[in-house]
Amino acid sequence: MPHIIIEHSEDLPVLPQVLVEKIHNSTFESGLFDLETIKTRAIAYQQYQLGIGKEGFIHIQVHIMAGRTLEQKQMLSEHLLACLKTYCRDSDSLSVNIYDMDHDVYRKN
């Protein structure tokens, strides 16, 4: 855990695999997770519409098991947003959201 899903416009200023690696490593650097538990993937969109002045977008969903404090989740979202700002254009719409997963219903093998 966590599961990180990067949704983005296909015209990124950085290669998608590089973005996956940077976000994966940034998640580890937050100090909240062991490296071997982080799972990161990206989905490119061809069709989308953005606000005036925006060229592209990146939205990161971070799904973690419930139990982290609000402060930890805020720190993680700020940390990942700062990572995005390093590699993206000012005209890109950037966002991050942290989602709690319920221990009682999450399953994996």
Side-chain angles (χ1 to χ4, degrees):
M1 196 56 47
H3 288 275
I4 302 168
I5 303 165
I6 305 168
E7 297 177 299
H8 62 86
S9 52
E10 67 178 359
D11 66 333
L12 292 179
V14 58
L15 292 173
Q17 184 56 40
V18 171
L19 181 62
V20 166
E21 291 169 7
K22 297 298 183 187
I23 292 300
H24 193 89
N25 291 333
S26 187
T27 302
F28 172 67
E29 291 165 3
S30 74
L32 297 175
F33 309 100
D34 295 328
L35 187 59
E36 62 273 4
T37 66
I38 302 168
K39 299 158 191 79
T40 308
R41 52 201 175 267
I43 303 167
Y45 289 87
Q46 295 176 345
Q47 291 82 31
Y48 55 90
Q49 187 170 347
L50 303 172
I52 296 172
K54 296 297 180 183
E55 292 184 51
F57 75 92
I58 301 174
H59 174 67
I60 298 178
Q61 302 178 40
V62 181
H63 299 267
I64 61 175
M65 295 307 292
R68 303 282 178 180
T69 66
L70 175 61
E71 292 78 17
Q72 288 173 315
K73 291 185 270 188
Q74 288 172 328
M75 180 274 295
L76 178 59
S77 63
E78 289 293 333
H79 191 71
L80 294 177
L81 186 59
C83 180
L84 285 179
K85 288 178 181 178
T86 303
Y87 299 100
C88 296
R89 306 167 289 221
D90 289 338
S91 61
D92 289 326
S93 176
L94 308 176
S95 58
V96 177
N97 198 9
I98 311 297
Y99 300 89
D100 284 329
M101 298 172 63
D102 188 338
H103 290 273
D104 294 331
V105 296
Y106 177 74
R107 300 291 184 266
K108 69 177 186 174
N109 66 1

